[in-house]
Amino acid sequence: EAQVTQNPRYLITVTGKKLTVTCSQNMNHEYMSWYRQDPGLGLRQIYYSMNVEVTDKGDVPEGYKVSRKEKRNFPLILESPSPNQTSLYFCASTKDGRYDYGYTFGSGTRLTVV
Amino acid sequence: QKEVEQDPGPLSVPEGAIVSLNCTYSNSAFQYFMWYRQYSRKGPELLMYTYSSGNKEDGRFTAQVDKSSKYISLFIRDSQPSDSATYLCAMVYDKIIFGKGTRLHILP
């Protein structure tokens, strides 16, 4: 089944403790992206990657890092999480970077930073 | 003025009714228009997309784009409880912009 897999689904952590949210897709998509979704603010792009070793900032990159060493994987790293990073995170991918093909989203990671 | 505006709802309608969901936008550069559906505790999934003014139909769903008015709509005919979800519009020029979503409840 074609899908984007995120782990973990739920995570509670403490301020300052480094964490990584993994994302993997099995569709051979070139383009991958991370979003956060907050009430009243909608989906906001954190980082995106057009292909292996190519990453770029989205609209809200502060406090986040990403890497793209393999085509299928695009982990999101929070080196020193803070409570304002409490959110619902989605990884998404699309073929050839074509938005009109539509994103395939993962099921989300609900992160709480206390 | 925000680039994409969407009423957050919630919108509650009885089963079988026709549902109309709408977004307005300000940037005339938008080329592609999409609707995503997001069930609770799930990621959004692409429902429909179109790149021109006019209507596009897929089963019970019709997407309508009026570029002159900068207005897009999604119509759901014969609505079902399984249509209860949040619906997000999305628009593309060189990047994709999502609306904040409208929560829809179909009452059995």
Side-chain angles (χ1 to χ4, degrees):
Chain A
E1 180 189 354
Q3 61 186 354
V4 175
T5 303
Q6 293 178 232
N7 280 297
R9 291 292 311 275
Y10 301 92
L11 179 60
I12 301 174
T13 190
V14 296
T15 299
K17 185 175 181 182
K18 181 179 179 179
L19 66 92
T20 299
V21 183
T22 64
C23 173
S24 180
Q25 51 93 4
N26 62 0
M27 296 164 284
N28 202 37
H29 284 171
E30 293 79 12
Y31 184 100
M32 298 184 73
S33 183
W34 277 102
Y35 285 86
R36 59 179 290 174
Q37 188 176 41
D38 301 288
L41 297 176
L43 283 164
R44 293 180 292 167
Q45 191 177 48
I46 303 170
Y47 269 95
Y48 64 94
S49 169
M50 297 292 287
N51 214 324
V52 176
E53 301 292 359
V54 181
T55 63
D56 211 343
K57 296 177 181 178
D59 298 317
V60 289
E62 294 78 20
Y64 304 94
K65 284 178 59 177
V66 293
S67 67
R68 188 91 180 273
K69 293 184 171 57
E70 304 166 284
K71 196 173 188 179
R72 63 182 293 127
N73 295 324
F74 190 44
L76 179 70
I77 303 156
L78 286 72
E79 297 230 330
S80 184
S82 62
N84 65 10
Q85 293 178 297
T86 292
S87 186
L88 180 58
Y89 290 87
F90 289 103
C91 181
S93 71
T94 186
K95 181 178 170 57
D96 293 333
R98 294 281 301 271
Y99 299 117
D100 54 321
Y101 287 170
Y103 272 130
T104 299
F105 281 87
S107 293
T109 296
R110 185 165 293 280
L111 172 66
T112 302
V113 183
V114 297
Chain B
Q1 185 180 10
K2 295 176 183 172
E3 278 195 290
V4 177
E5 302 225 36
Q6 185 175 12
D7 189 324
L11 179 63
S12 297
V13 299
E15 183 176 355
I18 296 175
V19 176
S20 172
L21 303 167
N22 310 297
C23 286
T24 59
Y25 62 95
S26 58
N27 189 343
S28 58
F30 284 125
Q31 299 172 317
Y32 298 99
F33 304 88
M34 287 165 269
W35 286 95
Y36 282 79
R37 177 176 62 195
Q38 184 177 14
Y39 290 117
S40 180
R41 296 187 173 83
K42 294 286 189 181
E45 57 177 336
L46 181 65
L47 199 56
M48 297 190 72
Y49 83 90
T50 183
Y51 58 88
S52 60
S53 283
N55 294 351
K56 181 176 181 180
E57 192 172 313
D58 184 1
R60 297 185 295 110
F61 298 90
T62 299
Q64 186 177 80
V65 175
D66 182 345
K67 287 188 175 180
S68 61
S69 300
K70 297 189 180 69
Y71 189 90
I72 70 170
S73 299
L74 178 70
F75 298 98
I76 307 174
R77 290 185 300 281
D78 187 25
S79 55
Q80 305 294 311
S82 59
D83 295 327
S84 297
T86 297
Y87 290 80
L88 297 92
C89 62
M91 309 182 185
V92 179
Y93 51 103
D94 63 346
K95 60 186 290 186
I96 186 168
I97 307 292
F98 287 92
K100 292 183 172 55
T102 299
R103 289 178 59 195
L104 174 65
H105 298 293
I106 306 298
L107 306 170

